[in-house]
Amino acid sequence: CARRKGGGKAPALITSIDSELQIFAYSLLEGLGRSCICAANAATGEILALASRHGEEDLDVNQFSARFEHYKTMESGFLTEPWRGALPIGSTAKIMTLLAMLHADIPLDWTDKTGIYKDIHNANKTAGGVMNEASAAVASSNTYFAHGADAAGFDHMTWAQEYLGMNSGRFCFESVPLKASGLNTDSSNAEVLQQAIGQGTLQASCLVPMVQFGCLASGRLVNRLFTAKKLEDTLPDGTVETEWLNEEPDILVRDAVEMDRLRSVFAQVAKAYKLTLAAEGAEVFAKTGTAQLSTGRYATYLPFAIRYKDGHSYMAIVFRENCQETSSALKPAARELLAKMNALHSRWEK
């Protein structure tokens, strides 16, 4: 607590951070280089853990002044938190592409005979064969989703992006604005296809895919994440006055008919990743994403969300930047994070 001018304690700021989950999340980032983990309540935006590492060598804020000149020699962006930057979001964008396809009511069965569609190819450069929306999402078929975006068209793609928070001009975090994707009526078809697979000018903070998958769990699109929960002021007579902060979360209800189909598809994806819970009625939704950066390295994502039978819902992301491995390398950390959140969630709900 801070001190009041003239003596006495100032109000204590109580945060939403769960210290056990925070410490655990930070431990999962060991050896991952520039990376972060965020976990939050999917219905309110209340952050439960936000851990980050700045690079192969981590930033020590207690030695910031003494080591400032050294830190300036580190890789670009070292001094900023990994979750603050806007980067291509990779195949996590396929949640928006599939929503556009469903909204456009186009046929969802498609046969990939060549492994390439209008200069978009699959990561393994092989043909996917006969696919539907679920098998394509599990395989993360670039050709399937490029074809789907092409068939759905510009208007449906734009609608889906805005419905899930992209292009809205709103904020996903107080200091991280959602970056507009760049789609406009003069966009080339090639750009639409790039955005369908999370490349091109479709860029955002890594927290945005987390919020989008959280929307599947809660039916709400959170537009602001927060850690400040309440102020407690101890008065001279010993009584405590409480001021609750963020009592009215900035959220939008998302109940389009297509949402249930998205849940079904991305629950199958989570199951394929072995991101599952034994709890009766609990559902997990997930999707990996790997984005090629200008450095030749990758930004990798694994957002997931949990929906319990009683309606409580949580979301999280494991993110890594400037790495040589694809997003599959994040699955072990995501499984451990999921298990830890499941072990702790009952106390969050009290």
Side-chain angles (χ1 to χ4, degrees), residues 91 106 138-139 148 176 185 203 219 223 231 258 283 286 306 326 347:
S91 289
I106 65 169
V138 170
V176 185
T185 54
Q203 300 185 14
N223 282 284
L231 292 171
E258 296 89 354
E283 295 178 282
I306 313 162
T326 63
R347 75 184 186 195

Side-chain angles (χ1 to χ4, degrees), residues 148-213:
D150 203 16
F154 168 84
D155 288 341
H156 290 289
M157 284 287 288
T158 302
W159 174 86
Q161 290 176 357
E162 292 179 349
Y163 195 80
L164 289 179
M166 202 72 68
N167 287 356
S168 64
R170 300 171 70 86
F171 287 77
C172 177
F173 197 81
E174 290 169 322
S175 57
V176 185
L178 297 178
K179 183 175 181 180
S181 74
L183 273 179
N184 54 60
T185 54
D186 296 323
S187 292
S188 67
N189 187 58
E191 173 62 16
V192 174
L193 302 187
Q194 286 289 328
Q195 292 194 18
I197 61 172
Q199 294 285 169
T201 59
L202 188 70
Q203 300 185 14
S205 159
C206 65
L207 301 179
V208 174
M210 177 189 76
V211 168
Q212 292 180 332
F213 278 82

Side-chain angles (χ1 to χ4, degrees), residues 54-334:
H54 287 239
E56 297 300 330
E57 175 184 341
D58 204 11
L59 175 69
D60 184 347
V61 294
N62 296 311
Q63 298 293 321
F64 184 79
S65 296
R67 295 179 60 80
F68 181 68
E69 292 302 321
H70 169 67
Y71 288 153
K72 288 198 301 183
T73 69
M74 304 299 288
E75 62 264 32
S76 176
F78 178 81
L79 294 177
T80 60
E81 297 289 350
W83 41 266
R84 286 189 182 274
L87 294 169
I89 58 176
S91 289
T92 65
K94 289 170 182 172
I95 186 176
M96 293 181 284
T97 308
L98 180 53
L99 178 58
M101 294 166 65
L102 291 167
H103 194 251
D105 196 27
I106 65 169
L108 297 177
D109 293 338
W110 183 69
T111 302
D112 174 19
K113 298 179 180 179
T114 63
I116 188 168
Y117 181 84
K118 295 188 176 180
D119 295 326
I120 301 292
H121 61 74
N122 296 322
N124 58 12
K125 298 186 178 180
T126 59
V130 179
M131 291 179 291
N132 60 27
E133 67 276 26
S135 61
V138 170
S140 201
S141 170
N142 289 339
T143 51
Y144 177 91
F145 286 97
H147 171 267
D150 203 16
F154 168 84
D155 288 341
H156 290 289
M157 284 287 288
T158 302
W159 174 86
Q161 290 176 357
E162 292 179 349
Y163 195 80
L164 289 179
M166 202 72 68
N167 287 356
S168 64
R170 300 171 70 86
F171 287 77
C172 177
F173 197 81
E174 290 169 322
S175 57
V176 185
L178 297 178
K179 183 175 181 180
S181 74
L183 273 179
N184 54 60
T185 54
D186 296 323
S187 292
S188 67
N189 187 58
E191 173 62 16
V192 174
L193 302 187
Q194 286 289 328
Q195 292 194 18
I197 61 172
Q199 294 285 169
T201 59
L202 188 70
Q203 300 185 14
S205 159
C206 65
L207 301 179
V208 174
M210 177 189 76
V211 168
Q212 292 180 332
F213 278 82
C215 185
L216 293 184
S218 68
R220 298 179 172 193
L221 183 69
V222 173
N223 282 284
R224 183 167 54 84
L225 303 172
F226 64 91
T227 58
K229 194 169 184 179
K230 61 182 176 178
L231 292 171
E232 290 185 347
D233 192 3
T234 303
L235 303 179
D237 63 1
T239 60
V240 177
E241 288 187 349
T242 300
E243 178 186 354
W244 288 92
L245 308 173
N246 299 293
E247 288 188 281
E248 298 182 2
D250 186 8
I251 59 173
L252 297 171
V253 174
R254 288 294 182 249
D255 56 3
V257 295
E258 296 89 354
M259 294 296 284
D260 280 340
R261 189 59 191 144
L262 289 180
R263 292 185 184 100
S264 174
V265 167
F266 291 104
Q268 292 178 66
V269 174
K271 185 175 181 180
Y273 296 167
K274 299 182 180 178
L275 283 168
T276 56
L277 294 174
E280 182 182 354
E283 295 178 282
V284 182
F285 316 104
K287 181 71 187 79
T288 55
T290 300
Q292 184 88 42
L293 302 178
S294 59
T295 60
R297 294 196 166 201
Y298 302 113
T300 58
Y301 307 76
L302 206 171
F304 65 85
I306 313 162
R307 181 170 69 171
Y308 289 101
K309 190 176 182 179
D310 62 6
H312 288 98
S313 56
Y314 302 93
M315 56 188 176
I317 189 163
V318 184
F319 168 73
R320 192 178 180 194
E321 184 183 338
N322 199 33
C323 58
Q324 293 180 309
E325 296 84 7
T326 63
S327 53
S328 290
L330 301 178
K331 292 176 183 177

Side-chain angles (χ1 to χ4, degrees), residues 41 308 310-314 344-350:
N41 185 307
Y308 289 101
D310 62 6
H312 288 98
S313 56
Y314 302 93
L344 296 176
H345 82 94
S346 59
R347 75 184 186 195
W348 302 333
E349 293 155 14
K350 291 180 180 179

